Amino acid sequence: MFSFEDRLWVLMFGHVADALLLPVGVLIAILVSVHVLLNDRDVGSSMGWMGLAWLSPFVGGLLYVLFGINRVTRRARVLRQ
C-alpha cells in the first residue's frame, strides 16, 4: 500500500498547502468585501457578493472581478471628464 516514507511525507508536508491557502483566501475575501462596501450601492447585491467571497474566496473573488465591478459606469465617468 503506502510505504513509511510516503506516510511520513504526507504528515510533514501534506497540510502546507492548507496553511498557505487559508490566509490568501481570507485576504481575498477581505479585499472583495472592502471594495463592495466602498463602491456598490445596492444592499442586496453587496450582501450577495460578500457572502460569495466569504463562502468561496477564490471562486467568489474571481467572479466578482469578472462580473461584479461595473466598468461601464466607471469608464463613462472617465470619458465625461
Side-chain angles (χ1 to χ4, degrees):
M1 200 146 140
F2 292 108
S3 67
F4 176 74
E5 289 84 16
D6 292 338
R7 291 182 200 170
L8 184 62
W9 189 87
V10 168
L11 284 174
M12 290 174 55
F13 300 108
H15 300 289
V16 172
D18 294 339
L20 295 176
L21 290 177
L22 179 66
V24 173
V26 170
L27 180 65
I28 290 172
I30 289 171
L31 291 174
V32 168
S33 296
V34 168
H35 192 269
V36 165
L37 288 173
L38 292 177
N39 295 313
D40 204 356
R41 295 181 184 203
D42 183 30
V43 175
S45 68
S46 297
M47 290 178 61
W49 282 118
M50 288 191 299
L52 184 62
W54 282 101
L55 290 174
S56 179
F58 296 102
V59 174
L62 179 65
L63 289 174
Y64 180 71
V65 168
L66 292 176
F67 302 113
I69 299 173
N70 191 349
R71 292 178 181 84
V72 174
T73 305
R74 184 186 319 160
R75 185 163 183 162
R77 277 189 217 139
V78 170
L79 291 175
R80 268 189 251 142
Q81 292 176 352

